[in-house]
Amino acid sequence: FLRMFSAEQAVQFFEANEKSRPLTIRTNSLKARRASLMQALNARKVQVDPVGPWTKVGLKVYDAQVPVGATPEYLGGHYMIQSASSFVPVMALAPQQDETILDMAAAPGGKTTYIGQLMKNTGTLFANDLRKERCKALVANCHRLGLTNVVTTCMDGKKLMGVMPKLDRVLLDAPCSGSGIIARDPSVKVKRGAKDFEENSRLQKELLAVAIDMVDAGSKTGGYIVYSTCSVSVEENEAVIDHALRTRPVELVSFSSSVNFGVEGLTKYREKRFHPSLALTRRYYPHVHNMDGFFVAKLKKISNKNPERARKDRSKMADHIQVWGEEHWTPEMMESVVDFPEPGAEEAAGMDAAGKAKASGKPMNKRDRKKIKRQQILTTRAASTTTVGAAAIAAGACAAAEAGGKRKEPPTASEGAAAPKKGKGKKAKAGGEALAEAKATSSKKRRRAA
């Protein structure tokens, strides 16, 4: 995190993870309206307020005299206890009625039931999860909230390709390290490390590849995949999306029409360089948005045919970085004397190297080409200045000689520089006489005309 944030932002991030945030619930629009639910909960001495203008179903619970998960409204399926950041992936997916949609990692059912209520119990919604014990909570929540279009499966997400039909949309809330929900699960601070980020990244790349393959690019209303994690690590987020862009026929699309806030995804991180379109992804931080850390990306499938080979990763990564460790601190190195070049010697050496590279025909870098171009400009400028100066001196000397009538050949440079001074008075006198003669001629013409 110290590599991802500045020192000030890192401190704010750590402090935000130590603070508890208000509990949030989502109104089930299939059974209730948010205004009526607020009145019912206020009557039970549960203080609630809307989460914000960006959602029409979210409520924040500030104070409750009764357990929020045991009220008659909860048992009747009028609302679901769900974090505010979990609303964003479903809003980005924007499910439509009569579509075929899959939630690949569905348990315990918060996002699945939100998709179902947006579909208004039409179409088909597949809800899959790997663990059988978690599927029990998924099925129970679907029944409690009144969803009738859900088909629950308990399978490995990597093996769904031959089982599912062609889908219009897929939501993949991938398994992750949970580095964005430390406030809810403090054990993440001691259970997870950099090694877990890399292991999760490999699994997430495989799941996302399967999710893309199951989507029908020719869908009239869909063809979209939403990838999300509750992590803020780059390895689990931008690196996974960048890999998908290189190996599958997909492109990133904006979902700002559904969710108009969030921090842009990273296009570069330390030595890593990602596709520029990753700026369309969104990050959500605890210290910025007062919600769990989350990452959301929306992909559009443009073809059902996968590329024969992946696009080459041209980022240097960490191969060019040399770490100078203590193993290099040998006695010979420590006792050696370092010679520093004199001022101006580096530029001359650079020019010599550039000239040699040009003569040998080897490719030069941008710096060498700039040096050669500048040297050519300076040489041309100096030559033109010298030529113009010599020509001016010679012309002045010739004019002085003609005026004085003493010399017919152009003098030397030293003599020519002083020659114009001797003929200066004569030239001025000749100019005055010519001016007087012109005035007299013009006055005669006026008299004749009168």
Side-chain angles (χ1 to χ4, degrees), residues 260-315:
N260 58 0
F261 72 101
V263 179
E264 289 185 359
L266 304 177
T267 55
K268 57 183 179 179
Y269 172 69
R270 296 178 67 80
E271 71 276 4
K272 299 179 181 179
R273 298 294 179 269
F274 303 119
H275 196 275
S277 63
L278 275 162
L280 296 174
T281 63
R282 289 294 178 267
R283 284 174 160 265
Y284 301 92
Y285 295 122
H287 62 290
V288 178
H289 307 102
N290 194 27
M291 60 173 64
D292 293 337
F294 237 77
F295 174 84
V296 182
K298 187 174 184 179
L299 297 163
K300 168 72 173 175
K301 190 172 182 180
I302 56 179
S303 174
N304 286 324
K305 185 179 180 181
N306 291 335
E308 296 181 359
R309 61 178 183 178
R311 299 173 191 169
K312 188 175 180 181
D313 184 8
R314 300 187 181 276
S315 60

Side-chain angles (χ1 to χ4, degrees), residues 18-81:
E18 300 298 327
K19 297 178 182 178
S20 60
R21 285 183 287 277
L23 180 70
T24 55
I25 61 176
R26 192 197 78 244
T27 308
N28 180 18
S29 57
L30 296 176
K31 291 189 174 183
R33 293 185 178 181
R34 187 168 67 171
S36 61
L37 179 61
M38 290 177 64
Q39 293 178 358
L41 292 177
N42 287 331
R44 300 186 187 280
K45 297 183 179 179
V46 179
Q47 298 181 5
V48 293
D49 279 327
V51 170
W54 58 273
T55 174
K56 297 179 181 180
V57 294
L59 290 172
K60 286 188 289 186
V61 180
Y62 291 107
D63 187 23
Q65 302 298 324
V66 296
V68 179
T71 61
E73 287 77 17
Y74 176 82
L75 298 175
H78 291 191
Y79 64 89
M80 177 80 177
I81 299 175

Side-chain angles (χ1 to χ4, degrees), residues 115-253:
I115 295 173
Q117 78 178 47
L118 291 177
M119 294 175 68
K120 297 181 180 179
N121 271 338
T122 62
T124 306
L125 174 57
F126 293 98
N128 177 75
D129 201 89
L130 177 62
R131 298 181 184 178
K132 188 176 181 180
E133 59 274 13
R134 288 172 61 87
C135 287
K136 293 180 181 179
L138 171 62
V139 173
N141 282 321
C142 289
H143 283 301
R144 183 174 60 85
L145 273 71
L147 296 178
T148 58
N149 64 337
V150 179
V151 178
T152 306
T153 59
C154 182
M155 296 180 62
D156 185 356
K158 294 181 288 185
K159 300 178 181 179
L160 290 174
M161 182 61 189
V163 179
M164 296 289 173
K166 277 295 183 180
L167 305 168
D168 295 307
R169 299 170 196 256
V170 173
L171 172 63
L172 174 58
D173 186 29
C176 63
S177 61
S179 58
I181 57 171
I182 297 176
R184 282 195 289 154
D185 186 9
S187 63
V188 173
K189 292 187 288 187
V190 294
K191 289 195 309 183
R192 301 285 185 254
K195 186 178 179 182
D196 297 302
F197 295 159
E198 296 294 340
E199 292 178 355
N200 290 328
S201 180
R202 285 193 289 272
L203 174 61
Q204 290 159 352
K205 289 174 183 177
E206 293 177 6
L207 291 174
L208 183 57
V210 174
I212 294 171
D213 292 339
M214 288 190 293
V215 172
D216 183 14
S219 173
K220 295 181 179 179
T221 59
Y224 296 101
I225 305 97
V226 169
Y227 174 85
S228 65
T229 65
C230 55
S231 171
V232 295
S233 68
V234 176
E235 293 82 2
E236 297 178 281
N237 297 326
E238 283 86 355
V240 176
I241 298 298
D242 187 68
H243 179 267
L245 292 174
R246 288 187 285 106
T247 58
R248 290 294 186 273
V250 293
E251 61 183 7
L252 281 167
V253 294

Side-chain angles (χ1 to χ4, degrees), residues 78-93:
H78 291 191
Y79 64 89
M80 177 80 177
I81 299 175
Q82 186 178 359
S83 64
S85 54
S86 297
F87 300 172
V88 179
V90 180
M91 296 172 67
L93 186 66

Side-chain angles (χ1 to χ4, degrees), residues 237-417:
N237 297 326
E238 283 86 355
V240 176
I241 298 298
D242 187 68
H243 179 267
L245 292 174
R246 288 187 285 106
T247 58
R248 290 294 186 273
V250 293
E251 61 183 7
L252 281 167
V253 294
S254 174
F255 54 91
S256 57
S257 59
S258 303
V259 185
N260 58 0
F261 72 101
V263 179
E264 289 185 359
L266 304 177
T267 55
K268 57 183 179 179
Y269 172 69
R270 296 178 67 80
E271 71 276 4
K272 299 179 181 179
R273 298 294 179 269
F274 303 119
H275 196 275
S277 63
L278 275 162
L280 296 174
T281 63
R282 289 294 178 267
R283 284 174 160 265
Y284 301 92
Y285 295 122
H287 62 290
V288 178
H289 307 102
N290 194 27
M291 60 173 64
D292 293 337
F294 237 77
F295 174 84
V296 182
K298 187 174 184 179
L299 297 163
K300 168 72 173 175
K301 190 172 182 180
I302 56 179
S303 174
N304 286 324
K305 185 179 180 181
N306 291 335
E308 296 181 359
R309 61 178 183 178
R311 299 173 191 169
K312 188 175 180 181
D313 184 8
R314 300 187 181 276
S315 60
K316 294 182 179 179
M317 303 302 286
D319 298 337
H320 67 291
I321 298 179
Q322 298 180 359
V323 180
W324 191 263
E326 295 185 6
E327 66 273 7
H328 298 285
W329 299 358
T330 59
E332 293 79 8
M333 188 277 295
M334 299 300 291
E335 294 176 1
S336 62
V337 179
V338 179
D339 295 329
F340 293 95
E342 297 181 359
E346 292 184 358
E347 296 181 2
M351 289 303 303
D352 294 341
K356 291 178 181 179
K358 186 175 181 181
S360 61
K362 295 182 180 179
M364 294 179 292
N365 56 26
K366 189 175 181 180
R367 187 176 180 182
D368 293 339
R369 292 196 298 270
K370 281 188 174 181
K371 286 183 178 180
I372 292 175
K373 187 175 181 180
R374 180 167 180 77
Q375 185 64 23
Q376 291 175 349
I377 293 173
L378 293 175
T379 304
T380 307
R381 188 180 299 170
S384 62
T385 304
T386 305
T387 306
V388 172
I393 292 173
C398 291
E402 291 176 0
K406 294 180 180 181
R407 300 193 183 201
K408 294 185 179 179
E409 296 181 359
T412 61
S414 59
E415 294 175 351

